[in-house]
Amino acid sequence: MDRKVSVIGLGYVGLPVAVAFGQQARVVAFDINQSRIRELTQGQDSTREISPVDLSTADLFFTHHAPDLKNADFHIVAVPTPIDEANQPDLRPILSASKTVGEQLKKGDIVVYESTVYPGATEEDCVPILEKYSGLICGKDFFVGYSPERINPGDKEHTFTKIKKIVSGQTPEVLEIVADVYSRVVTAGVHKASSIKVAEAAKVIENTQRDLNIALINELAKIFNKLDIDTSSVLEAAGTKWNFLPFKPGLVGGHCIGVDPYYLTYRAAKAGYHPEVILSGRRINDSMGKFIAEQTIKNIVKLGGNLCGAKIGILGLTFKENCPDIRNTKVIDIVNELKEYTTNIFVHDPHAHPAEAKREYGIDLVDRSELNDLTAVIIAVAHQDFYSFSREDFEKMLNGTKLVMDVKGLLRQSQDSSASILKIVSL
């Protein structure tokens, strides 16, 4: 039978999913944020994941009224799963979404979660909420599945339909339905996981593995800094071997790589196992903002600069390149550490939303024209916009020390530096 799809949560993950299904049939697109519903209804997407053309051609019924979910029987939950200040899983969004869906559930409905969780969360945490608010019995009256999101914000090549989809269901029959529904829109195909827990675990280790690889390179960068060796040159040389993995040092924030490992370590600890390698990698990556700030201060002093009232420009605030998302950005760690030295900070990011930066971090973003007479510049995020900055552009921004902390290695790929007076320091 044809399934009528609803998508709950229209952020970086949910909207691309809704649009993909909306190209095939009508989709109930639900979000509790009324301003988000208004902007999408007007054909605009502030996340910049979906173009106005794709948004207008999809058959989407945007709504913040939960009863509209009754018009669907295949519900996809794609809400955030953040961590709290103690790095513990914050399940409030997904449990709230489960309550909303549960209140509208009908017999025969299927609920598929895409939000990243620890193994067991779908069946142990979400199902009881669905049952409580629906008055129905899971496995008899309605069913659940899990199909982890693999959206990469800002990536216009690896989009939702082009990434193989892991699917799972609580029974073999439900698994086939879930696989069939996703197969209609995901051209890359599906992988049928043997259980919901396997699918949950597969997702959470994808980002944990990447987190650990970056942590290794970040630790190597700290070691090579002590040894006065250029890390980028070392990685370039090592990369000539066919099986050397091309990871680079940098900040690890956002709502995936910087968060997901904590979901796994939380569940592991609950089961009686204390993870060592994963948490060690997290500590290294979480320390990089402070490390970059400290290196900036040390180099200013080394070059004879005056720290008191020093003007430091930071290029980039978002958690990754070419994306407006500032959630859990680690650039803020650089900002906060530098403020300890009574420096004046000027943050420029053409992709971040100024109002959001002010609301979330108290930062007033500045225009490029305001980046002048600076003591130092930190290239924190590799936005494509910054690749067009010439060495001469940086020289005009700077005064005195002419220091550029090239965290992302942008200037290694720029024009000849023989006449440059910049003092470039990379990780």
Side-chain angles (χ1 to χ4, degrees), residues 32-85:
I32 61 173
N33 187 335
Q34 295 185 36
S35 63
R36 176 66 168 161
I37 293 298
R38 279 196 300 271
E39 76 166 49
L40 292 173
T41 302
Q42 294 167 1
Q44 299 298 320
D45 170 29
S46 58
T47 70
R48 302 176 193 165
E49 289 298 299
I50 302 298
S51 69
V53 172
D54 288 339
L55 201 55
S56 65
T57 56
D59 188 1
L60 302 176
F61 175 64
F62 292 113
T63 180
H64 64 270
H65 297 293
D68 291 327
L69 295 173
K70 290 183 181 295
N71 295 319
D73 55 24
F74 191 94
H75 308 282
I76 299 174
V77 178
V79 298
T81 43
I83 53 176
D84 61 21
E85 293 182 357

Side-chain angles (χ1 to χ4, degrees), residues 391-392 395 411-412 414-422 424:
R391 290 174 184 264
E392 184 180 26
E395 289 172 4
L411 293 181
R412 290 178 60 84
S414 66
Q415 61 270 52
D416 177 60
S417 61
S418 58
S420 176
I421 60 175
L422 297 178
I424 301 173

Side-chain angles (χ1 to χ4, degrees), residues 213-214 217-218 235 245-251 387 407-409 413:
N213 276 301
I214 298 173
I217 303 302
N218 277 337
L235 294 177
L245 301 178
F247 287 93
K248 295 181 179 180
L251 301 167
Y387 279 91
V407 175
K408 305 304 294 185
Q413 304 174 40

